[in-house]
Amino acid sequence: MFHHPSFDAHERVLFASDETAGFRAIIAVHNTVRGPALGGCRVWTYADDDAALTDALRLSRGMSYKSAMADLPLGGGKSVMIVKERGAATPAMFEALGRAIADLNGRYIVAEDVGSSPKDLLNVRRHTAHVTGLDPEDGGRGDPSPTTSRGVFIGVEATAKAVGFSSLEGVHVAVQGLGNVGYGLARHLRDAGARLTVADISPERVAMAERELGAKAAPVEAIGEVEADIFSPNALGAGLNAVTIPRLKVRAVAGGANNQLATPADDEALRERGILYAPDYVLNAGGVIKMAGEYYRWDDAEVDRRVGGIADRLSEIFTEAARTSRPTGEVADRLAEARFARH
């Protein structure tokens, strides 16, 4: 464990099982300097146990950075539940997860993630109160994706201003991915007067964007080569890499996808090309802010205030990157690390 390539001085890594329930999971708590570790439960068919461990370690570390840069009273954590096939998780498994989380005595707060839902969290809550992301009828705040979309929009707007635009009116944005977050972002951009070119693996989502938002469509494989002002990745990670970065024809990259940079070197590659990169975990923090608001019982005005702060945090990153001639992703990481440093 301590020599695992993804281990980063994690405070706790709990391996939990319940043979009767068929439950196997890993809960990774990366850092709790700022507060309890918040992160979703990912339910996945991992190739092997090491792949599950790697995912838990990396994702929990990423949540520390996201929460720190969002200035939340939270640390970073993640849980992964190992299943043999998609849809195989049962209520008994989520109850077993709840018992495992209870053993951590408030050090970890669980939320939904890939493969889990707010309804699954109700079974977790039978055994622990350290749960967030529930449906409104169950005492929660509901789907976090609209808040995430709004935060990404605020980030795109701040990025546009950083590269010389006074507003988004007439700014051409190439939007990759029209899921819940990406489509919500595209709607905000349209309302702000931006011109849209969009791509998604779903022809139905693209047709809807053309019809409702006046967007132009591009093939999925070509959206990263569209000549635009801003490229906005909102699909899978690692899309900014040694192959795609030389093909970009934009002034900035700002989107909601997680882990957009394939390697740390891609951060510098964007800087060398003069393309301003808005670090993804700063833009897409709206969801975790909303879940923190549910857990700590903040009112809507406080959640909105904190989401609005995404613009100020980006400005801080861009200013420091310009002052030091360092890539923005590296600057964001250093600022985040200073905020959750162990003393």
Side-chain angles (χ1 to χ4, degrees):
M1 165 58 67
F2 299 112
H3 299 287
H4 192 284
S6 296
F7 182 78
D8 183 53
H10 285 69
E11 294 177 9
R12 298 284 190 281
V13 183
L14 172 66
F15 293 77
S17 67
D18 184 318
E19 187 174 356
T20 301
F23 166 76
R24 294 171 62 223
I26 303 170
I27 303 173
V29 175
H30 177 252
N31 187 290
T32 60
V33 167
R34 297 179 61 87
L38 172 64
C41 173
R42 179 164 295 188
V43 181
W44 198 251
T45 53
Y46 290 98
D48 52 42
D49 292 347
D50 187 67
L53 174 60
T54 298
D55 213 20
L57 294 175
R58 289 179 177 174
L59 291 168
S60 58
R61 179 180 183 271
M63 289 302 298
S64 288
Y65 285 77
K66 182 179 293 192
S67 292
M69 282 308 299
D71 199 25
L72 296 174
L74 294 169
K78 206 76 172 184
S79 54
V80 300
M81 188 186 299
I82 304 165
V83 293
K84 293 181 179 179
E85 57 187 23
R86 301 267 181 98
T90 65
M93 291 180 184
F94 284 102
E95 287 201 42
L97 177 64
R99 291 190 290 272
I101 292 170
D103 288 342
L104 289 169
N105 296 315
R107 189 176 289 270
Y108 170 65
I109 305 164
V110 69
E112 66 175 300
D113 200 286
V114 176
S116 61
S117 71
K119 294 303 181 188
D120 294 323
L121 296 178
L122 288 177
N123 291 303
V124 177
R125 197 175 63 172
R126 292 171 65 91
H127 301 278
T128 178
H130 303 296
V131 177
T132 188
L134 298 169
D135 286 327
E137 60 267 28
D138 298 315
R141 294 283 185 90
D143 182 7
S145 60
T147 308
T148 304
S149 294
R150 179 171 169 268
V152 177
F153 168 74
I154 289 169
V156 174
E157 188 175 45
T159 304
K161 290 180 179 178
V163 294
F165 295 102
S166 59
S167 74
L168 285 170
E169 183 71 38
V171 174
H172 186 187
V173 184
V175 179
Q176 178 190 51
L178 293 171
N180 288 341
V181 172
Y183 198 90
L185 167 65
R187 185 180 289 112
H188 283 299
L189 291 169
R190 187 278 312 270
D191 292 346
R195 293 189 296 118
L196 300 176
T197 300
V198 302
D200 192 90
I201 58 173
S202 167
E204 293 77 16
R205 300 291 283 186
V206 173
M208 186 165 64
E210 290 179 297
R211 183 176 63 253
E212 296 182 354
L213 307 178
K216 292 185 177 180
V220 171
E221 66 277 8
I223 188 68
E225 300 176 34
V226 170
E227 188 169 349
D229 297 308
I230 297 173
F231 175 54
S232 183
N234 298 279
L236 298 177
L240 299 173
N241 53 55
V243 174
T244 62
I245 289 173
R247 297 175 180 172
L248 290 172
K249 301 171 185 174
V250 295
R251 296 168 66 175
V253 173
N258 283 308
N259 304 315
Q260 293 171 23
L261 301 174
T263 71
D266 298 313
D267 195 17
E268 174 62 18
L270 286 166
R271 190 187 75 86
E272 289 179 349
R273 285 211 57 206
I275 297 173
L276 183 64
Y277 167 60
D280 48 61
Y281 62 80
V282 180
L283 271 72
N284 64 24
V288 72
I289 292 171
K290 183 172 182 175
M291 288 186 288
E294 178 181 322
Y295 188 77
Y296 288 113
R297 301 187 183 280
W298 297 334
D299 60 23
D300 290 344
E302 177 64 10
V303 171
D304 288 345
R305 184 189 70 79
R306 288 175 178 270
V307 174
I310 287 172
D312 291 336
R313 290 185 283 276
L314 278 177
S315 178
E316 180 184 7
I317 291 165
F318 294 156
T319 299
E320 180 65 10
R323 186 186 71 81
T324 59
S325 298
R326 301 305 304 158
T328 52
E330 177 188 312
V331 169
D333 285 354
R334 299 295 84 79
L335 290 172
E337 287 161 3
R339 293 181 181 189
F340 64 72
R342 302 178 178 97
H343 298 291

